[in-house]
Amino acid sequence: MNLDYIIPNNWSILEEGFEPTHVKASESLFSIGNGAMGQRANFEEKYSGPTFQGSYIAGVYYPDKTRVGWWKNGYPEYFAKVLNAPSWIGINITVNNEQLDLFACKDVKNFHRELNMKEGWLSRSFVATLQNDIEVEVKTKRFLSLDLDEVGAINYNITPLNSDAEITFEPYLDSGITNEDTNWDDKFWDTLKVSHENHQAFIEAKTMKTDFYTCTFMESEVFIDGKSVLIEPDFTSDANLASFKYTYNVKQNETYTIHKFGGYTVDRDHEKNELVSAAKATLDKAKTAGFSKLLDDQKQAWAQIWDMADITIEGDVKAQQGIRFNIFHLNQTYLGTDETLNIGPKGFTGEKYGGSTYWDTEAYCIPFYMATKDQSVARKLLAYRHNHLQKAIENAEKLGFTNGAALYPMVTMNGEECHNEWEITFEEIHRNGAIAFAIFNYYRYTGDFSYIPEMGLEVLIGISRFWHQRVNFSSQKNKYVILGVTGPNEYENNINNNWYTNYIAKWCIDYTLETIEKVKEGYADDYERILGKTKITHEELALWKKVADNMYFPYSEEHNVYLQQDGFLDKELITVADLDKSQRPINQKWSWDRILRSPYIKQADLLQGMYFFEDQFTNEELERHFDFYEPFTVHESSLSPCVHSIQAAKLDRMDQAYTFYLRTSRLDLDDYNHEVHEGLHITSMAGTWMSIVEGFGGMRVKNDTLSFEPKIPAQWEGYSFKVNFRHQIITVSVSQNETQFKLEGDKDLTIYVDGKEVAISPNNMVTV
Amino acid sequence: MNLDYIIPNNWSILEEGFEPTHVKASESLFSIGNGAMGQRANFEEKYSGPTFQGSYIAGVYYPDKTRVGWWKNGYPEYFAKVLNAPSWIGINITVNNEQLDLFACKDVKNFHRELNMKEGWLSRSFVATLQNDIEVEVKTKRFLSLDLDEVGAINYNITPLNSDAEITFEPYLDSGITNEDTNWDDKFWDTLKVSHENHQAFIEAKTMKTDFYTCTFMESEVFIDGKSVLIEPDFTSDANLASFKYTYNVKQNETYTIHKFGGYTVDRDHEKNELVSAAKATLDKAKTAGFSKLLDDQKQAWAQIWDMADITIEGDVKAQQGIRFNIFHLNQTYLGTDETLNIGPKGFTGEKYGGSTYWDTEAYCIPFYMATKDQSVARKLLAYRHNHLQKAIENAEKLGFTNGAALYPMVTMNGEECHNEWEITFEEIHRNGAIAFAIFNYYRYTGDFSYIPEMGLEVLIGISRFWHQRVNFSSQKNKYVILGVTGPNEYENNINNNWYTNYIAKWCIDYTLETIEKVKEGYADDYERILGKTKITHEELALWKKVADNMYFPYSEEHNVYLQQDGFLDKELITVADLDKSQRPINQKWSWDRILRSPYIKQADLLQGMYFFEDQFTNEELERHFDFYEPFTVHESSLSPCVHSIQAAKLDRMDQAYTFYLRTSRLDLDDYNHEVHEGLHITSMAGTWMSIVEGFGGMRVKNDTLSFEPKIPAQWEGYSFKVNFRHQIITVSVSQNETQFKLEGDKDLTIYVDGKEVAISPNNMVTV
């Protein structure tokens, strides 16, 4: 099912007409979140059709027992699952004793759904005819507050159109939920107490094994034609449920409304035994403000985010919608407020893959957060890995490494490895490289070296130790080789000398050696502390250097390109263009062995390396490699098109860059990979941002200076973006003829534009 | 736990003393079987200590739902599990109301267990003091009849030594059994009916999904001091159980005896609704004969097997015990009576691995069965694969192959693939080669070409089509390559150009082309039939030939050896001798990636190929490859030492050959791989036979003529074996000084001995 029902619009995601086969996809696309919690766009009222119910609390996970067919030594015993949390959005509705259920209605018309990204709310309206022939109009609005991030609000209105009707709202809390993604169908939640007081109800529950304590809460108020009515509700509860019933005889064309506030208090923020009182306090704040005021605050809060993060595109509404969709979901997922959180690949929109942290964070997300938030946010993301260093060392020890060598997990929630495919878990070790690169990248962009002596250098040392132990000397090649790896292109497994892995390994060692010297010179106390802790010696560093200086890189003289791995040229080199379309996507059509021996590339591999280390390659080299590898690339990873868009733009291939841009920015909106119903691809959304800022805008940092080489797709009239560069804000506006730069800050700034120095003064506009 | 408690003996496996930590190992080692059924050596009476209960019916399996961590396209949905069958051996015993249970006794002395391989029975005796201080002596004997292969017999004697006692025998049937090896803890058996009549009881049960219908049955008779006593037993039953209680007040030093007959009738041999009447008929036969007569028949039947299959070794009791243990278990597992059966890797001694048929059958077992049975047995094993040809074609289609290409499954029970590790299931494709080689080998040995036009050629064509489609042309190498395979050495995965795989692929095509010509010339009708069915064309055959003629074989000029795979020389080539012993077995100590990038070889790979195709290599070539690869071989596969023993003998390295011989023949008896409690390694036992007959005896068939190059380990005084060569029996007796050949047959035979022609006449002895 390739979907294309989303209506283009500059600021909103829009759906018109009720189509049950779209429900699960829309539940993903219209998801809402506020960094602390998030939820799929499930209906408030009962829905008996195919649906994927999901509500998630940041940082709350469950260590599900690993499931494998054939155990391999080194597999983790447990796998941190993204955990479906108790639901608080439900409102059962009965109309003359018949339950409102869109899947069971005689007719549904004027169905309209909107995710308003500008203001941060989700709405829905429709007219439905029930089996009992009562016709009702429904209008709902829902949001998760950015300001009060423990609370969400629902405004649900129902109007009987063709007769009077007795209507009941039954707002409820439900902790009897299950996970879509579970290995053994285990129960993950233990409900401790269901209670209520006046119009408030609470379910205290804890996760099994991990003992995360939570309180899910709600409070409701009902109105007739906008006027509050006091109904004493019936309270019902069972082991996992709490509900109130508000019944009213509603006249034809009268509107019966419920405002429901709900959400979670969790023991990350409160004492375990104060979760209910904290919930009451939060509800009091929400209720005192009221739905309208909370919504106004929400608009304000999103306006602030957009003020910094927005990218405008003129003349191409699908492109505009795409980039805002990406920026919006990134901000719904992670706001940088908590050092223990990270950016899950599906955010709060699904459960697949488990864990919250992949190399995606360092390779794709950090540039976005560095440029659109205060630099403390990126620093938190780096500190997250420093906090996990000891676990990365233990992880490496499980695989036979010693002496403080660190291998960061492929997938993690708490620093422990979550994944269990040997070809990924044990062999996709390039992830270590991206974590080191992010340290370099953070300093390059922010100029904040302090992170490195404080935390970063220890991480670099652990990683370099890993690379030093992971290579072996090939007497045949008279070089150091890295055998048995999986590169960024996961369509090759257990290969030898993946160019990307070898390159980033060498780079890690070189950079660590350089950084050790720098810390030694400038931060003597930190240096002594780190020396005492890591016990590095001159002898060890000399051995590292020998490895870095003698690393092997497979190269083809015939094609004049580096080889993705030793065996690449033995493959049958049929390009994607010559591959029958019926065979794609190959990951759904082909058995794994056939994929592995094919030349097809899942995502940028060599080109990813040339993206990270572009200064070390000429444009001609990049072009040769682009021309050699891109024709074999199927982009079946969400992380592929953005890098190709950037590289194509760099090579002045703007049509290609534009095509890749649409693919990355509308990956989920247009469901390129036929899987949007499982959730969105959050981390690759940061790649979309890069494809505009770094691809079209050509933004780089060179010698502590911002540099741009602005280009613009022929399809666009103009585009603009802002970046926060070392506490000053630069707005870049590109049209077909010129580029304007504007600086909000307190001191003059020199930038490079197409290689030439340009000076900008605060609050002045410069046109180039 | 490395075990060495088995007492050396020429004809028996013996254990002295009761040691609970040995129980599970002994349950494997003392297993009994008769080709139609088999069972671990579980005690008849209750045992509350650690035990692995197992009773198995040939050909009865269950398609357990596949379990994986991460699904790959092409994995089979179901996995045929070896199925623990309802148990009929149980006899609960109470002595003055206390249950006899060796794990709970105050004292156990004079414990003695014997598996008499010469006569085919298992016995046990001990003196036990119960918690109630009654001392009893117990003596049991049990066997599964070769003549009446649906029935087994137990003779259980108990004597109270220190007082009179009320003793109850409670023989029972139990269908409420579970499997040790199950993916989802599913129930596999559905009990249909529990019934009894006089002293007989029956449990009719069928397997779930596969609907194998079985009747498990028993009948008992009791004796005092050898005299039959008529006790009307109490019958008890529940949903999965049937039991009789025979209670008697036994005087001190009187012996109370029960003869229990039991077993299975199955719907492979009978109509579903006649299983109980068939059971009655079988019980009648058994009871009419009685325990003693049945046992005499058993001795007779085993004498016949040994007459043909025995190998004697003088002067080395451990070596003698080892080879007989191997020959005995092979005959317990498979007797060649049924074309739908095969030789499971654990026979009737455990459940691990599932399926019954691996490439082990063709690569290791067929030579044993060809030489020690009528040639019809080997023909049945070949026909088994012909019967599965269509399923092998379907299996290949699942992986993207077309046009009748056949890929036989890695593991199977009914022709469908059972295994689900991509690196094995999809990539260990060399198994196809062994299946073709067995056809060649059968004809070479038996001279019976008729199998080939009738069945074999179609198999060869399917296999050659697979190879032709599986290669690809490497323009870099200007040769055909085979990428992404796992060779016999499973410690390398997804490698390119495994020499063994490439070699056997080329050989398959060459042999198929040659065979097509031969059938065309000599068997016109068959040729037309096969042509009509397979639609092979000259064009297709020409394409095959091009592949075979241009196959790539990796070779090292430096070392002057073929390379096991393209990347072998990039490994860190540290020999096993230099590997710390604490690191072994590496499959229990190392993570999988570390094993894969190490040079360590699980089992003969290149040397396996040089064993199959020895005529194509000189002794110097063999020696070079042996010297290069053996030092990296850890022999962590049971299939490795036998081939090394043969190759070492060929190179006149008799000390090494002898060491490898002990390792293969006593693999389970001495528990080299620390896993005998899971069951025995049945298929490698045929390799042990080869290591004497082909290794020390140097037996080959060259130009339709038997050839020997007898050698003898220094540790032995002499050894002898018999082979059935084209319906004549040749006995070969080798001593340190000479070799004697004796012929039982009806015509003169010329053989080669050390390359010279020797004539033997029927019933004459020739000494060389």
Side-chain angles (χ1 to χ4, degrees), chain A residues 389-435:
Chain A
L389 176 58
Q390 188 50 38
K391 287 197 170 154
I393 290 171
E394 287 160 21
N395 187 41
E397 282 169 355
K398 283 182 198 157
L399 305 188
F401 296 87
T402 57
N403 188 35
L407 175 61
Y408 278 91
M410 191 68 205
V411 179
T412 194
M413 192 69 92
N414 62 355
E416 289 167 13
E417 179 61 83
C418 277
H419 200 81
N420 59 312
E421 286 175 297
W422 62 266
E423 64 275 19
I424 306 284
T425 312
F426 304 153
E427 297 206 339
E428 201 171 331
I429 53 178
H430 68 79
R431 57 192 187 247
N432 249 5
I435 290 162

Side-chain angles (χ1 to χ4, degrees), chain B residues 314-354:
Chain B
E314 289 128 56
D316 188 344
V317 65
K318 285 189 121 183
Q320 175 70 76
Q321 187 181 37
I323 186 64
R324 283 190 174 134
F325 182 73
N326 286 248
I327 295 167
F328 180 70
H329 275 294
L330 282 164
N331 276 285
Q332 290 206 120
T333 304
Y334 183 76
L335 288 161
T337 49
D338 189 325
E339 209 171 87
T340 67
L341 301 181
N342 212 287
I343 307 152
K346 299 232 162 282
F348 301 119
T349 72
E351 293 155 23
K352 211 178 164 187
Y353 305 132

Side-chain angles (χ1 to χ4, degrees), chain B residues 189-224:
Chain B
W189 287 94
D190 196 0
T191 303
L192 304 169
K193 193 175 174 192
V194 179
S195 60
H196 75 293
E197 198 178 312
N198 302 323
H199 294 256
Q200 298 179 337
F202 310 92
I203 296 187
E204 291 164 86
K206 75 175 183 67
T207 56
M208 290 165 136
K209 292 190 193 163
T210 33
D211 282 352
F212 290 110
Y213 283 77
T214 62
C215 171
T216 308
F217 57 80
M218 67 170 174
E219 177 167 8
S220 302
E221 190 179 356
V222 293
F223 305 82
I224 283 288

